[in-house]
Amino acid sequence: DGFWNYVVTHCDFNSTDSKDITFIRSYYYNKLEIVRFDSSVGRYVGNTELGVKNAEAWNSGPEVVQMRNEKERYCVNNVGNDYRSAVTKS
């Protein structure tokens, strides 16, 4: 028994070109996605009543600026290694 609260961060890509890379961070509660930041949208989007409230607050604060920079820091800097590794094994 108990509650699950977790965050999943990942990069979707099909090449090493920055325009082909998407940074996504999803916030879950009990297996339900509450709110998500998607770099292709450029802001937080809520999927539940609580998520919508959080998204509104985060989109008007410094959190959204930090998330917009995460694509470069988290994805673009690392996708090259992952992409080369996948291509050499296929």
Side-chain angles (χ1 to χ4, degrees):
D1 290 351
F3 301 98
W4 288 82
N5 185 35
Y6 56 99
V7 177
V8 175
T9 302
H10 68 279
C11 306
D12 289 342
F13 61 95
N14 55 15
S15 81
T16 57
D17 190 349
S18 180
K19 68 178 175 45
D20 293 331
I21 300 171
T22 304
F23 169 82
I24 299 171
R25 179 167 291 162
S26 299
Y27 298 80
Y28 291 88
Y29 181 73
N30 282 349
K31 300 181 183 179
L32 177 65
E33 186 180 41
I34 304 300
V35 66
R36 166 188 287 208
F37 179 87
D38 184 328
S39 66
S40 62
V41 177
R43 63 185 183 89
Y44 288 94
V45 177
N47 298 319
T48 65
E49 184 178 343
L50 175 62
V52 169
K53 289 178 183 177
N54 285 336
E56 288 172 0
W58 295 345
N59 286 328
S60 63
E63 295 87 353
V64 74
V65 175
Q66 180 183 354
M67 283 296 110
R68 289 179 183 150
N69 295 327
E70 287 295 286
K71 175 181 171 180
E72 291 295 322
R73 187 191 70 78
Y74 188 82
C75 294
V76 174
N77 288 332
N78 296 305
V79 161
N81 295 332
D82 296 337
Y83 188 78
R84 281 188 295 281
S85 177
V87 168
T88 59
K89 292 179 181 175
S90 60

Coordinates of all heavy atoms in Angstrom, one line a residue:
D1 N 0.8 -1.2 0.0 CA 0.0 0.0 0.0 C 0.9 1.2 0.0 O 2.0 1.2 0.3 CB -0.9 0.0 1.2 CG -2.0 -1.1 1.1 OD1 -2.1 -1.7 0.1 OD2 -2.7 -1.3 2.1
G2 N 0.3 2.3 -0.4 CA 1.0 3.6 -0.4 C 0.8 4.3 -1.7 O -0.1 3.9 -2.5
F3 N 1.5 5.3 -2.0 CA 1.3 6.1 -3.2 C 2.6 6.2 -4.0 O 3.7 6.2 -3.4 CB 0.9 7.5 -2.8 CG -0.4 7.6 -2.0 CD1 -0.4 7.6 -0.6 CD2 -1.6 7.5 -2.7 CE1 -1.6 7.6 0.1 CE2 -2.8 7.5 -1.9 CZ -2.8 7.5 -0.6
W4 N 2.5 6.3 -5.3 CA 3.7 6.4 -6.2 C 3.7 7.8 -6.7 O 2.7 8.3 -7.3 CB 3.5 5.4 -7.3 CG 3.7 4.0 -6.9 CD1 2.8 3.2 -6.4 CD2 4.9 3.3 -7.0 NE1 3.4 1.9 -6.1 CE2 4.7 2.0 -6.6 CE3 6.2 3.6 -7.5 CZ2 5.6 1.0 -6.5 CZ3 7.1 2.6 -7.5 CH2 6.9 1.3 -7.0
N5 N 4.8 8.5 -6.5 CA 5.0 9.8 -7.1 C 6.4 9.8 -7.7 O 7.4 9.5 -7.1 CB 5.0 10.8 -6.0 CG 5.1 12.2 -6.5 OD1 4.6 12.5 -7.6 ND2 5.7 13.1 -5.7
Y6 N 6.5 10.0 -9.1 CA 7.7 9.9 -9.7 C 7.8 10.7 -11.0 O 6.7 11.2 -11.5 CB 8.1 8.4 -10.1 CG 7.0 7.7 -10.9 CD1 7.2 7.6 -12.3 CD2 5.9 7.1 -10.3 CE1 6.2 6.9 -13.1 CE2 5.0 6.5 -11.1 CZ 5.1 6.4 -12.4 OH 4.2 5.7 -13.2
V7 N 9.0 11.0 -11.5 CA 9.2 11.8 -12.6 C 10.0 11.0 -13.6 O 11.0 10.3 -13.3 CB 10.1 13.1 -12.2 CG1 10.4 13.9 -13.5 CG2 9.3 13.9 -11.2
V8 N 9.6 11.1 -14.9 CA 10.3 10.4 -16.0 C 10.8 11.5 -17.0 O 10.1 12.3 -17.4 CB 9.4 9.4 -16.7 CG1 10.1 8.8 -17.9 CG2 8.9 8.3 -15.8
T9 N 12.1 11.4 -17.2 CA 12.7 12.4 -18.2 C 13.3 11.6 -19.3 O 14.1 10.6 -19.1 CB 13.8 13.2 -17.5 OG1 13.3 13.9 -16.4 CG2 14.4 14.2 -18.4
H10 N 13.0 11.9 -20.6 CA 13.6 11.2 -21.7 C 13.7 12.1 -22.9 O 13.1 13.2 -23.0 CB 12.9 10.0 -22.0 CG 11.5 10.2 -22.6 ND1 10.4 10.5 -21.8 CD2 11.0 10.2 -23.8 CE1 9.3 10.6 -22.5 NE2 9.7 10.4 -23.8
C11 N 14.5 11.7 -23.9 CA 14.8 12.4 -25.1 C 14.3 11.5 -26.2 O 14.6 10.3 -26.3 CB 16.2 12.7 -25.3 SG 17.0 13.5 -24.0
D12 N 13.4 12.0 -27.1 CA 13.0 11.4 -28.3 C 13.8 11.9 -29.5 O 13.9 13.1 -29.6 CB 11.5 11.6 -28.6 CG 10.6 10.9 -27.6 OD1 11.1 9.9 -26.9 OD2 9.4 11.2 -27.5
F13 N 14.4 11.0 -30.3 CA 15.2 11.5 -31.4 C 15.3 10.5 -32.5 O 15.1 9.3 -32.2 CB 16.6 11.9 -30.9 CG 17.4 10.7 -30.3 CD1 18.2 10.0 -31.1 CD2 17.2 10.4 -29.0 CE1 18.9 8.9 -30.6 CE2 17.9 9.3 -28.4 CZ 18.8 8.6 -29.2
N14 N 15.5 11.0 -33.7 CA 15.7 10.1 -34.8 C 16.9 10.5 -35.6 O 17.2 9.9 -36.7 CB 14.5 9.9 -35.7 CG 13.9 11.2 -36.2 OD1 14.6 12.2 -36.1 ND2 12.7 11.2 -36.7
S15 N 17.7 11.5 -35.1 CA 18.9 11.9 -35.7 C 19.6 12.7 -34.6 O 19.1 13.0 -33.6 CB 18.8 12.6 -37.0 OG 18.5 14.0 -36.7
T16 N 20.9 13.1 -34.9 CA 21.6 14.0 -33.9 C 21.3 15.4 -34.2 O 21.9 16.3 -33.4 CB 23.1 13.7 -34.0 OG1 23.5 13.9 -35.4 CG2 23.4 12.3 -33.6
D17 N 20.5 15.8 -35.2 CA 20.2 17.2 -35.4 C 19.3 17.7 -34.3 O 18.3 17.0 -34.0 CB 19.5 17.3 -36.8 CG 19.3 18.7 -37.3 OD1 19.6 19.6 -36.5 OD2 19.0 18.9 -38.4
S18 N 19.6 18.8 -33.8 CA 18.8 19.4 -32.7 C 17.3 19.5 -33.0 O 16.5 19.3 -32.1 CB 19.4 20.8 -32.3 OG 18.7 21.3 -31.3
K19 N 17.0 19.8 -34.2 CA 15.6 20.0 -34.6 C 14.8 18.6 -34.5 O 13.6 18.6 -34.5 CB 15.4 20.7 -35.9 CG 15.8 19.9 -37.1 CD 15.5 20.7 -38.4 CE 16.1 20.0 -39.6 NZ 15.8 18.6 -39.8
D20 N 15.5 17.5 -34.6 CA 14.9 16.2 -34.5 C 14.9 15.6 -33.1 O 14.7 14.4 -32.9 CB 15.7 15.3 -35.4 CG 15.5 15.6 -36.9 OD1 14.5 16.2 -37.3 OD2 16.4 15.3 -37.7
I21 N 15.2 16.4 -32.1 CA 15.3 16.0 -30.7 C 14.2 16.7 -29.9 O 14.1 17.9 -30.0 CB 16.7 16.2 -30.1 CG1 17.8 15.5 -30.9 CG2 16.7 15.8 -28.6 CD1 19.2 15.9 -30.5
T22 N 13.5 15.9 -29.1 CA 12.5 16.4 -28.2 C 12.8 16.0 -26.8 O 13.1 14.8 -26.5 CB 11.1 15.9 -28.6 OG1 10.8 16.2 -29.9 CG2 10.1 16.5 -27.7
F23 N 12.8 17.0 -25.8 CA 13.0 16.7 -24.4 C 11.7 16.6 -23.8 O 10.8 17.5 -24.0 CB 13.9 17.8 -23.8 CG 13.9 17.8 -22.3 CD1 14.8 17.0 -21.6 CD2 13.1 18.6 -21.6 CE1 14.8 17.0 -20.3 CE2 13.1 18.6 -20.2 CZ 14.0 17.8 -19.5
I24 N 11.4 15.6 -23.0 CA 10.1 15.4 -22.3 C 10.4 15.1 -20.9 O 11.1 14.2 -20.6 CB 9.3 14.3 -23.0 CG1 9.0 14.7 -24.4 CG2 8.0 14.1 -22.2 CD1 8.3 13.6 -25.2
R25 N 9.7 15.8 -20.0 CA 9.7 15.4 -18.5 C 8.3 15.3 -18.1 O 7.5 16.3 -18.2 CB 10.4 16.5 -17.7 CG 10.4 16.1 -16.2 CD 11.4 16.9 -15.4 NE 12.8 16.6 -15.8 CZ 13.8 17.3 -15.5 NH1 13.7 18.5 -14.9 NH2 15.0 16.9 -15.8
S26 N 7.9 14.1 -17.6 CA 6.6 13.8 -17.2 C 6.5 13.6 -15.7 O 7.4 12.9 -15.1 CB 6.0 12.6 -17.9 OG 6.0 12.8 -19.3
Y27 N 5.5 14.1 -15.0 CA 5.3 14.0 -13.6 C 4.1 13.1 -13.3 O 3.0 13.3 -13.9 CB 5.1 15.3 -12.9 CG 6.3 16.2 -13.1 CD1 6.5 16.9 -14.2 CD2 7.2 16.4 -12.0 CE1 7.6 17.8 -14.4 CE2 8.2 17.3 -12.1 CZ 8.4 18.0 -13.3 OH 9.5 18.8 -13.5
Y28 N 4.3 12.0 -12.6 CA 3.3 11.0 -12.4 C 2.9 10.9 -10.9 O 3.7 11.1 -10.0 CB 3.7 9.6 -12.8 CG 3.9 9.5 -14.3 CD1 5.1 9.8 -14.9 CD2 2.9 9.0 -15.1 CE1 5.3 9.6 -16.3 CE2 3.1 8.8 -16.5 CZ 4.3 9.2 -17.0 OH 4.4 9.0 -18.4
Y29 N 1.6 10.5 -10.7 CA 1.1 10.2 -9.4 C 0.2 9.0 -9.5 O -0.8 9.0 -10.3 CB 0.4 11.3 -8.8 CG -0.1 11.1 -7.4 CD1 0.7 11.0 -6.3 CD2 -1.5 10.8 -7.1 CE1 0.3 10.8 -5.0 CE2 -1.9 10.5 -5.9 CZ -1.0 10.5 -4.8 OH -1.5 10.2 -3.5
N30 N 0.6 7.9 -8.9 CA -0.1 6.6 -9.0 C -0.4 6.2 -10.4 O -1.5 5.9 -10.8 CB -1.5 6.7 -8.2 CG -1.2 6.5 -6.7 OD1 -0.2 6.2 -6.3 ND2 -2.3 6.8 -5.9
K31 N 0.7 6.2 -11.2 CA 0.7 5.8 -12.6 C -0.1 6.7 -13.6 O -0.3 6.4 -14.7 CB 0.2 4.3 -12.8 CG 1.0 3.3 -12.0 CD 0.4 1.9 -12.2 CE 1.2 0.9 -11.4 NZ 0.7 -0.4 -11.5
L32 N -0.6 7.8 -13.1 CA -1.3 8.8 -13.9 C -0.4 10.0 -14.2 O 0.1 10.6 -13.2 CB -2.6 9.2 -13.2 CG -3.5 10.2 -13.9 CD1 -4.0 9.7 -15.2 CD2 -4.6 10.7 -13.0
E33 N -0.2 10.3 -15.4 CA 0.6 11.5 -15.8 C -0.2 12.7 -15.4 O -1.3 13.0 -15.9 CB 0.9 11.5 -17.3 CG 1.9 12.6 -17.6 CD 2.2 12.6 -19.1 OE1 1.3 12.4 -19.9 OE2 3.4 12.9 -19.4
I34 N 0.4 13.5 -14.5 CA -0.3 14.7 -14.0 C 0.0 15.9 -14.9 O -0.9 16.7 -15.2 CB 0.1 15.0 -12.5 CG1 -0.1 13.8 -11.6 CG2 -0.5 16.2 -12.0 CD1 -1.6 13.4 -11.6
V35 N 1.3 16.1 -15.1 CA 1.8 17.3 -15.9 C 3.0 16.9 -16.7 O 3.7 16.0 -16.3 CB 2.0 18.5 -15.0 CG1 3.2 18.2 -14.1 CG2 2.2 19.8 -15.8
R36 N 3.2 17.5 -17.8 CA 4.3 17.2 -18.7 C 4.9 18.5 -19.3 O 4.2 19.4 -19.6 CB 3.8 16.3 -19.9 CG 4.8 16.2 -21.0 CD 4.2 15.5 -22.2 NE 4.1 14.1 -21.9 CZ 4.1 13.2 -22.8 NH1 4.2 13.4 -24.1 NH2 3.9 11.9 -22.4
F37 N 6.3 18.5 -19.4 CA 7.0 19.5 -20.2 C 7.5 18.9 -21.4 O 8.1 17.8 -21.4 CB 8.1 20.2 -19.4 CG 8.8 21.2 -20.3 CD1 8.4 22.5 -20.2 CD2 9.9 20.8 -21.1 CE1 9.0 23.4 -21.1 CE2 10.5 21.8 -21.9 CZ 10.0 23.1 -21.9
D38 N 7.2 19.5 -22.6 CA 7.6 18.9 -23.9 C 8.3 20.1 -24.6 O 7.7 21.1 -24.8 CB 6.3 18.5 -24.7 CG 6.7 17.8 -26.0 OD1 7.7 18.2 -26.6 OD2 5.9 16.9 -26.4
S39 N 9.5 19.9 -25.0 CA 10.3 21.0 -25.6 C 9.7 21.4 -26.9 O 9.9 22.6 -27.4 CB 11.8 20.6 -25.8 OG 11.9 19.6 -26.7
S40 N 9.0 20.5 -27.6 CA 8.4 20.9 -28.9 C 7.2 21.9 -28.7 O 6.8 22.7 -29.5 CB 7.9 19.7 -29.7 OG 6.9 19.0 -29.0
V41 N 6.6 21.8 -27.5 CA 5.5 22.7 -27.1 C 6.1 24.0 -26.4 O 5.6 25.1 -26.6 CB 4.5 22.1 -26.2 CG1 3.4 23.0 -25.7 CG2 3.9 20.8 -26.8
G42 N 7.2 23.8 -25.6 CA 7.8 24.9 -25.0 C 7.2 25.3 -23.7 O 7.6 26.4 -23.1
R43 N 6.4 24.5 -23.1 CA 5.7 24.9 -21.8 C 5.2 23.6 -21.2 O 5.1 22.6 -21.8 CB 4.6 25.9 -22.0 CG 3.5 25.4 -22.9 CD 2.4 26.5 -23.1 NE 1.3 26.0 -23.9 CZ 0.2 25.5 -23.4 NH1 0.1 25.4 -22.0 NH2 -0.7 25.0 -24.1
Y44 N 4.8 23.8 -19.9 CA 4.1 22.7 -19.2 C 2.7 22.6 -19.6 O 2.0 23.6 -19.9 CB 4.2 22.9 -17.7 CG 5.5 22.8 -17.1 CD1 6.3 23.9 -16.9 CD2 6.0 21.6 -16.6 CE1 7.6 23.8 -16.3 CE2 7.2 21.4 -16.0 CZ 8.0 22.5 -15.9 OH 9.2 22.4 -15.3
V45 N 2.2 21.3 -19.7 CA 0.8 21.1 -20.0 C 0.2 20.1 -19.0 O 0.8 19.1 -18.7 CB 0.6 20.5 -21.4 CG1 -0.8 20.1 -21.7 CG2 1.2 21.4 -22.5
G46 N -0.9 20.5 -18.3 CA -1.5 19.7 -17.3 C -2.5 18.7 -17.9 O -3.2 19.0 -18.8
N47 N -2.5 17.5 -17.3 CA -3.5 16.4 -17.8 C -4.6 16.2 -16.8 O -5.5 15.4 -17.1 CB -2.7 15.1 -18.1 CG -1.7 15.3 -19.2 OD1 -2.0 16.0 -20.2 ND2 -0.5 14.8 -19.0
T48 N -4.5 16.7 -15.6 CA -5.5 16.6 -14.6 C -5.8 17.9 -14.0 O -5.1 18.9 -14.3 CB -5.0 15.6 -13.4 OG1 -3.9 16.3 -12.8 CG2 -4.6 14.3 -14.0
E49 N -6.7 18.0 -13.1 CA -7.0 19.3 -12.5 C -5.8 19.9 -11.7 O -5.4 21.0 -11.8 CB -8.2 19.2 -11.5 CG -8.7 20.5 -10.9 CD -9.9 20.3 -10.0 OE1 -10.6 19.3 -10.1 OE2 -10.1 21.2 -9.2
L50 N -5.2 19.0 -10.9 CA -3.9 19.4 -10.2 C -2.8 19.7 -11.2 O -2.1 20.7 -11.0 CB -3.5 18.3 -9.3 CG -2.2 18.5 -8.6 CD1 -2.2 19.8 -7.7 CD2 -1.8 17.3 -7.8
G51 N -2.7 19.0 -12.3 CA -1.7 19.2 -13.3 C -1.8 20.5 -14.0 O -0.9 21.3 -14.2
V52 N -3.1 20.9 -14.3 CA -3.4 22.2 -14.9 C -3.0 23.3 -14.0 O -2.3 24.3 -14.4 CB -4.9 22.3 -15.3 CG1 -5.2 23.7 -15.8 CG2 -5.2 21.3 -16.4
K53 N -3.3 23.2 -12.7 CA -2.9 24.3 -11.7 C -1.4 24.4 -11.6 O -0.8 25.5 -11.6 CB -3.5 24.0 -10.4 CG -5.0 24.2 -10.3 CD -5.5 23.8 -8.9 CE -7.1 24.0 -8.9 NZ -7.6 23.6 -7.7
N54 N -0.7 23.2 -11.6 CA 0.8 23.3 -11.5 C 1.3 23.9 -12.8 O 2.3 24.7 -12.8 CB 1.3 21.9 -11.3 CG 1.2 21.4 -9.9 OD1 1.1 22.2 -8.9 ND2 1.1 20.1 -9.7
A55 N 0.8 23.5 -13.9 CA 1.3 24.0 -15.2 C 1.2 25.5 -15.3 O 2.1 26.2 -15.8 CB 0.6 23.3 -16.4
E56 N 0.0 26.0 -14.9 CA -0.2 27.5 -14.9 C 0.9 28.2 -14.0 O 1.5 29.2 -14.5 CB -1.6 27.8 -14.4 CG -2.7 27.4 -15.4 CD -4.1 27.6 -14.8 OE1 -4.2 28.1 -13.6 OE2 -5.0 27.3 -15.5
A57 N 1.1 27.6 -12.9 CA 2.1 28.3 -12.0 C 3.5 28.1 -12.5 O 4.3 29.1 -12.5 CB 2.0 27.6 -10.6
W58 N 3.9 27.0 -13.0 CA 5.2 26.7 -13.5 C 5.5 27.5 -14.8 O 6.6 28.0 -15.0 CB 5.5 25.3 -13.7 CG 5.5 24.5 -12.4 CD1 5.6 24.9 -11.2 CD2 5.4 23.0 -12.3 NE1 5.5 23.9 -10.3 CE2 5.4 22.7 -10.9 CE3 5.3 22.0 -13.2 CZ2 5.3 21.4 -10.5 CZ3 5.2 20.7 -12.8 CH2 5.2 20.4 -11.4
N59 N 4.5 27.7 -15.6 CA 4.7 28.4 -16.9 C 4.8 29.9 -16.7 O 5.3 30.6 -17.6 CB 3.5 28.2 -17.8 CG 3.5 26.8 -18.5 OD1 4.6 26.2 -18.7 ND2 2.4 26.2 -18.7
S60 N 4.4 30.4 -15.5 CA 4.6 31.8 -15.2 C 5.8 32.1 -14.4 O 6.1 33.3 -14.0 CB 3.3 32.4 -14.6 OG 3.1 31.8 -13.3
G61 N 6.6 31.1 -14.0 CA 7.7 31.2 -13.1 C 9.0 30.9 -13.9 O 9.0 30.6 -15.1
P62 N 10.1 30.9 -13.1 CA 11.4 30.5 -13.7 C 11.6 29.1 -14.1 O 12.5 28.7 -14.9 CB 12.4 30.9 -12.6 CG 11.6 30.8 -11.3 CD 10.2 31.2 -11.7
E63 N 10.7 28.2 -13.7 CA 10.8 26.8 -14.0 C 10.7 26.5 -15.5 O 11.5 25.7 -16.0 CB 9.7 26.0 -13.3 CG 9.7 26.0 -11.8 CD 9.0 27.2 -11.2 OE1 8.6 28.1 -11.9 OE2 8.9 27.2 -9.9
V64 N 9.9 27.3 -16.2 CA 9.7 27.0 -17.6 C 11.0 27.4 -18.4 O 11.3 26.7 -19.4 CB 8.4 27.7 -18.2 CG1 8.6 29.2 -18.3 CG2 8.0 27.1 -19.5
V65 N 11.6 28.4 -18.0 CA 12.9 28.9 -18.6 C 13.9 27.8 -18.5 O 14.7 27.4 -19.4 CB 13.4 30.2 -18.1 CG1 14.7 30.6 -18.7 CG2 12.3 31.3 -18.4
Q66 N 14.1 27.2 -17.3 CA 15.0 26.2 -17.0 C 14.7 25.0 -17.8 O 15.6 24.4 -18.4 CB 15.0 25.8 -15.5 CG 16.0 24.7 -15.2 CD 15.9 24.3 -13.7 OE1 15.2 24.9 -12.9 NE2 16.6 23.2 -13.4
M67 N 13.5 24.6 -18.0 CA 13.1 23.4 -18.7 C 13.4 23.6 -20.2 O 13.8 22.7 -20.9 CB 11.6 23.1 -18.6 CG 11.3 22.4 -17.3 SD 12.1 20.8 -17.1 CE 13.2 21.1 -15.9
R68 N 13.2 24.8 -20.7 CA 13.5 25.1 -22.1 C 15.0 24.9 -22.4 O 15.4 24.5 -23.5 CB 13.1 26.5 -22.5 CG 11.6 26.7 -22.6 CD 11.2 28.1 -22.9 NE 9.7 28.2 -22.9 CZ 9.1 29.3 -22.5 NH1 9.8 30.4 -22.3 NH2 7.8 29.3 -22.5
N69 N 15.9 25.1 -21.4 CA 17.3 24.9 -21.6 C 17.7 23.5 -21.4 O 18.8 23.1 -21.8 CB 18.1 25.8 -20.6 CG 17.9 27.2 -20.9 OD1 17.8 27.7 -22.0 ND2 17.9 28.0 -19.8
E70 N 16.9 22.6 -20.9 CA 17.2 21.2 -20.6 C 17.4 20.4 -21.9 O 18.2 19.5 -21.9 CB 16.2 20.6 -19.7 CG 16.2 21.0 -18.3 CD 17.5 20.6 -17.6 OE1 17.7 19.4 -17.3 OE2 18.3 21.5 -17.4
K71 N 16.7 20.8 -22.9 CA 16.9 20.1 -24.2 C 18.4 20.1 -24.6 O 19.0 19.1 -24.9 CB 16.0 20.7 -25.3 CG 16.3 20.0 -26.7 CD 15.4 20.7 -27.7 CE 15.8 20.2 -29.1 NZ 15.0 20.8 -30.2
E72 N 19.0 21.3 -24.6 CA 20.4 21.4 -24.9 C 21.3 20.6 -24.0 O 22.2 19.9 -24.3 CB 20.8 22.9 -25.0 CG 20.2 23.6 -26.2 CD 20.7 23.1 -27.5 OE1 21.9 22.8 -27.7 OE2 19.8 23.1 -28.4
R73 N 21.1 20.9 -22.7 CA 21.9 20.3 -21.6 C 21.8 18.8 -21.5 O 22.7 18.0 -21.5 CB 21.6 20.9 -20.3 CG 22.6 20.5 -19.2 CD 22.1 20.9 -17.8 NE 21.0 20.1 -17.4 CZ 21.0 18.8 -16.9 NH1 22.2 18.2 -16.9 NH2 19.9 18.2 -16.5
Y74 N 20.5 18.3 -21.5 CA 20.3 16.9 -21.2 C 20.3 16.0 -22.5 O 20.8 14.9 -22.5 CB 18.9 16.8 -20.5 CG 18.6 15.4 -20.0 CD1 19.1 15.0 -18.8 CD2 17.7 14.6 -20.7 CE1 18.8 13.8 -18.3 CE2 17.4 13.3 -20.2 CZ 17.9 12.9 -19.0 OH 17.6 11.7 -18.5
C75 N 19.7 16.5 -23.6 CA 19.5 15.7 -24.8 C 20.6 15.9 -25.8 O 21.3 15.0 -26.2 CB 18.2 16.0 -25.4 SG 16.8 15.5 -24.4
V76 N 20.8 17.1 -26.3 CA 21.7 17.4 -27.4 C 23.1 17.0 -27.1 O 23.8 16.4 -27.9 CB 21.6 18.9 -27.8 CG1 22.6 19.2 -28.9 CG2 20.2 19.2 -28.3
N77 N 23.5 17.2 -25.8 CA 24.9 16.8 -25.4 C 25.1 15.3 -25.3 O 26.2 14.8 -25.4 CB 25.3 17.5 -24.1 CG 25.5 19.0 -24.3 OD1 25.9 19.4 -25.3 ND2 25.3 19.7 -23.2
N78 N 24.0 14.5 -25.2 CA 24.2 13.1 -25.0 C 23.6 12.2 -26.2 O 24.0 11.1 -26.3 CB 23.5 12.7 -23.7 CG 24.1 13.3 -22.5 OD1 25.3 13.1 -22.3 ND2 23.4 14.0 -21.7
V79 N 22.8 12.8 -27.0 CA 22.1 12.0 -28.0 C 23.2 11.4 -29.0 O 23.0 10.3 -29.5 CB 21.0 12.8 -28.7 CG1 20.7 12.2 -30.1 CG2 19.8 12.8 -27.9
G80 N 24.2 12.2 -29.3 CA 25.2 11.7 -30.3 C 25.8 10.4 -29.9 O 25.9 9.5 -30.8
N81 N 26.1 10.2 -28.6 CA 26.7 8.9 -28.2 C 25.6 7.8 -28.3 O 26.0 6.7 -28.8 CB 27.1 9.0 -26.7 CG 28.3 10.0 -26.6 OD1 29.1 10.1 -27.5 ND2 28.4 10.6 -25.4
D82 N 24.4 8.1 -27.9 CA 23.4 7.1 -28.0 C 23.1 6.7 -29.5 O 22.9 5.6 -29.8 CB 22.1 7.6 -27.3 CG 22.2 7.8 -25.8 OD1 23.2 7.2 -25.3 OD2 21.5 8.6 -25.3
Y83 N 23.0 7.7 -30.3 CA 22.7 7.5 -31.7 C 23.8 6.7 -32.4 O 23.5 5.7 -33.1 CB 22.6 8.9 -32.4 CG 22.1 8.8 -33.8 CD1 20.7 8.5 -34.1 CD2 22.9 8.9 -34.9 CE1 20.2 8.5 -35.4 CE2 22.5 8.8 -36.2 CZ 21.1 8.6 -36.5 OH 20.7 8.5 -37.7
R84 N 25.1 7.0 -32.2 CA 26.2 6.2 -32.8 C 26.2 4.8 -32.3 O 26.4 3.9 -33.0 CB 27.5 6.9 -32.4 CG 27.8 8.1 -33.3 CD 29.2 8.6 -33.1 NE 29.5 9.1 -31.8 CZ 29.1 10.4 -31.4 NH1 28.5 11.1 -32.2 NH2 29.3 10.8 -30.2
S85 N 25.9 4.6 -31.0 CA 25.8 3.3 -30.4 C 24.7 2.5 -31.1 O 24.9 1.3 -31.4 CB 25.6 3.4 -28.9 OG 25.5 2.1 -28.4
A86 N 23.6 3.0 -31.3 CA 22.4 2.3 -31.9 C 22.7 2.0 -33.3 O 22.4 0.9 -33.8 CB 21.2 3.2 -31.7
V87 N 23.3 3.0 -34.1 CA 23.5 2.7 -35.5 C 24.6 1.7 -35.7 O 24.4 0.8 -36.6 CB 23.9 4.1 -36.2 CG1 24.5 3.9 -37.6 CG2 22.8 5.0 -36.2
T88 N 25.6 1.6 -34.9 CA 26.7 0.6 -35.1 C 26.2 -0.8 -34.8 O 26.7 -1.8 -35.3 CB 27.9 0.9 -34.3 OG1 27.6 1.0 -32.9 CG2 28.6 2.2 -34.7
K89 N 25.1 -0.9 -33.9 CA 24.6 -2.2 -33.5 C 23.5 -2.7 -34.4 O 23.1 -3.8 -34.3 CB 24.1 -2.2 -32.1 CG 25.3 -2.0 -31.1 CD 24.8 -1.9 -29.7 CE 26.0 -1.7 -28.8 NZ 25.6 -1.5 -27.4
S90 N 23.0 -1.8 -35.3 CA 21.9 -2.3 -36.2 C 22.3 -2.8 -37.5 O 23.4 -2.8 -37.9 CB 20.9 -1.1 -36.4 OG 21.6 0.0 -37.1

